[in-house]
Each structure stands twice: as structure tokens, then as C-alpha cells.
Amino acid sequence: MTTVSELPGTQQGADVESGARWSASAAAFVAWRDGDEAALEELVRALSPVLWQVVRATGLDRAQAEDVVQSTWLALVKGADSISTPQAVAGWLCTTARREAWRVSKKDKRETATEDETLAPALPHADSPEHAVVLADDHALLLACLERLNDRCRRLLRIVAAGARPDYQEISRTLGMPVGSIGPTRARCLDKLRDELVLAGGAR
């Protein structure tokens, strides 16, 4: 879930690509729920590769993974109304796919809790594909909400977020603001950003 403290200072190429994917997926989801059947095919094309990675990461073979991905899309068709915000569709699909993959794995006795407990200390820490997808989804939502603010707020928040200890004198010269007004203006801009995130269902 997105927090205002996670505001990115710069937008890297990978973030642009991920943000475009999640924004397109959210738009396709909205169009499909509004009655555009072709939009579901667009959503499947956009997110099936991600779901495939999530499922295969659990250790299922190709045939099992195909079944789980198909089941995940069927679950979306049945449970689409439970998704409160379009931006959440990617995370919802990944979570559903992973849970179904775990269920299939356990049913097939390919993994057990004992094996996980034994192997975990010896394995390096790595974020799951699902975690990466949700982070990218949150990042795209945050950027979208940031773009809804006025130009002054957008510029100020990006500059402040770029460094751990922002130089208020430099900010004053860059934005033409009195040094004494930077702090209060920053607070008001963060409040506006938080309001946008709440409206989008992404803030806590």
C-alpha cells in the first residue's frame, strides 16, 4: 500500500515502463467492467506474462502453471466486483495466482512447511515477483496522483524527495519561493497528495 513517504525523486526508465503497464491494465479493467469485452483480452495480454512469472516462481511445472493462470483469470471474471480500485487489479491478480499456486503445490506434495523452514535460513533474501508487481503498481498510482497536483507542488515535492536533506536555499532560488514559506508549502502539498491517494484508494 502506498504511503506519501515513498514519493520517488526521479523516474527511471524501468519505472516508466512499469507505470505504463499498470496504468494501461487499470484502464482496460475499467473498460471491461463498463461492458467492453475486448478490453478483457487487452488486460490478459498485459498481465499474463507477469502472472506466469509469479506462478512459476512457486515451483510449478509448465502444465500446472498454465492451469493456475487460467484459474486466476476465471477468478477475476467471477470476483471483479470485489476490486474497489482499478489500480489494484494487478496486485489482486498476482495475489490470487500465488495463492492458487501454493494450493496446487501442496495438493501435489511438491512443497511442505518443513521443507520451507529447513531451506529458508540457507537461501538469500529475495522479493517475490508478486511483491515487485505490487510495488510497481503503488509507484504508478503515486506518480498518477502527483500529476494531479499543481505545478508548484509537483516541482517542490520532486525536489524535496530527491535528497535526504533538501537545501532550502537552493529550493528558494529554483522555485522563487521565500525560504520561510517552503516548509508550510511542502506540508500543504503533501496533504493534497495524501488526499489524492485516499481518493484513489491507495493511501493509509
Side-chain angles (χ1 to χ4, degrees), residues 84-122:
S84 57
T85 61
Q87 291 83 1
V89 66
W92 187 94
L93 284 165
C94 287
T95 298
T96 301
R98 199 169 196 199
R99 287 174 178 171
E100 177 63 11
W102 283 340
R103 187 191 68 79
V104 172
S105 294
K106 290 176 181 179
K107 182 179 180 181
D108 199 44
K109 298 182 180 179
R110 291 184 179 273
E111 64 180 35
T112 65
T114 301
E115 288 175 347
D116 287 343
E117 292 169 359
T118 301
L119 291 174

Side-chain angles (χ1 to χ4, degrees), residues 61-97:
D61 62 30
R62 184 180 184 86
Q64 290 174 318
E66 288 176 349
D67 288 342
V68 168
V69 171
Q70 182 177 6
S71 296
T72 301
W73 287 114
L74 290 174
L76 176 67
V77 172
K78 295 178 181 178
D81 291 340
S82 68
I83 302 175
S84 57
T85 61
Q87 291 83 1
V89 66
W92 187 94
L93 284 165
C94 287
T95 298
T96 301

Side-chain angles (χ1 to χ4, degrees), residues 122-183:
L123 296 175
H125 172 74
D127 290 334
S128 67
E130 173 194 344
H131 179 72
V133 167
V134 173
L135 281 182
D137 192 29
D138 283 350
H139 184 80
L141 175 60
L142 186 56
L143 288 177
C145 290
L146 181 64
E147 289 303 313
R148 298 191 188 110
L149 304 183
N150 60 49
D151 181 67
R152 193 180 203 189
C153 279
R154 289 199 304 270
R155 294 176 65 193
L156 175 59
L157 293 182
R158 287 186 182 279
I159 292 173
V160 171
R165 302 181 65 178
D167 185 338
Y168 276 30
Q169 293 291 343
E170 181 62 28
I171 294 174
S172 176
R173 287 192 295 271
T174 300
L175 299 183
M177 297 172 58
V179 171
S181 71
I182 293 174

